[in-house]
Amino acid sequence: IEDDKLRNEFSQKATNLIKNAPFDYYYATDKKDKIIDFSESFLELTKSEPNELYKTLGLQTLLAQLNITTINGQEFSEPVALKFHYDYMNTAKTNAPAHFYITLIENEEEIECLGIVEPIICNKQFVGRNIYLAKSNKETLNKIQIGLKDALNVGLKRKTVNAIRRFFVLMHL
């Protein structure tokens, strides 16, 4: 019994960590795509109340409530949204995760995100999806690059700046 309690506690804590990572967004749906769980950050991104979000469909929320400007490098439009809809819904049949890129506007700032639609399979049956959105590190790396150039201007040795630059490039890989 103690092992089961420990396992359940660990599982719950791991789930909370995944759901509430500070710079990522997460939501889960049932097999009909109704949202059944989400992170605080996703709730804030959608500017919804929890009881409203539980009543919506995942893909509908993603496409209608987020200010998306591009999907997979293509300007957001009805044909692009329909193709994305097909790929998203097809994860129920393929049982394989689907990856996508979106650009959205958050707090008047353009943000690139990598998205993963992960089908959830129990007893060989599709029961829902986990959807993860992770902000791109490109903006962070650009800010670091600017900071390093500024550091050179104020007199830090070029060797030190280049070492710091290599470190952050390696971290990005």
Side-chain angles (χ1 to χ4, degrees), residues 59 81-91 93:
L59 184 62
L82 286 172
K83 167 80 170 91
F84 181 72
H85 179 270
Y86 174 80
D87 293 342
Y88 178 97
M89 297 309 279
N90 203 38
T91 58
K93 296 175 187 156

Side-chain angles (χ1 to χ4, degrees), residues 8-171:
N8 288 338
E9 183 179 343
F10 173 79
S11 176
Q12 185 176 12
K13 286 183 178 184
T15 300
N16 284 334
L17 284 172
I18 291 169
K19 280 178 36 180
N20 294 304
F23 299 107
D24 296 316
Y25 312 104
Y26 160 85
Y27 69 93
T29 66
D30 64 12
K31 66 181 179 181
K32 294 181 181 179
D33 201 39
K34 185 178 174 187
I35 292 178
I36 57 173
D37 200 6
F38 48 85
S39 64
E40 290 294 322
S41 57
F42 187 72
L43 181 65
E44 290 173 20
L45 183 65
T46 61
K47 296 176 177 64
S48 300
E49 293 295 322
N51 58 347
E52 294 171 3
L53 208 48
Y54 284 121
K55 295 176 184 176
T56 63
L57 299 177
L59 184 62
Q60 175 188 357
T61 301
L62 195 64
L63 294 176
Q65 289 189 256
L66 304 187
N67 192 359
I68 296 175
T69 58
T70 67
I71 298 177
N72 295 326
Q74 296 182 304
E75 188 173 327
F76 187 81
S77 64
E78 188 174 338
V80 170
L82 286 172
K83 167 80 170 91
F84 181 72
H85 179 270
Y86 174 80
D87 293 342
Y88 178 97
M89 297 309 279
N90 203 38
T91 58
K93 296 175 187 156
T94 63
N95 294 337
H99 299 82
F100 61 93
Y101 293 92
I102 61 171
T103 305
L104 55 91
I105 306 296
E106 180 188 24
N107 300 325
E108 300 179 26
E109 189 177 333
E110 193 171 82
I111 296 176
E112 293 179 10
C113 293
L114 163 66
I116 301 170
V117 180
E118 178 184 51
I120 303 168
I121 310 299
C122 283
N123 295 327
K124 299 181 182 180
Q125 291 194 356
F126 172 77
V127 295
R129 295 177 182 83
N130 285 329
I131 295 79
Y132 307 95
L133 294 173
K135 290 182 181 180
S136 167
N137 290 329
K138 197 183 311 181
E139 293 87 12
T140 304
L141 290 174
N142 287 339
K143 289 176 185 175
I144 291 168
Q145 189 76 7
I146 290 166
L148 291 172
K149 285 180 184 174
D150 291 346
L152 273 175
N153 290 336
V154 296
L156 264 180
K157 291 183 179 179
R158 182 173 297 279
K159 190 175 181 181
T160 303
V161 171
N162 285 336
I164 295 168
R165 182 178 288 131
R166 281 192 303 278
F167 172 76
F168 280 107
V169 167
L170 288 173
M171 292 297 290

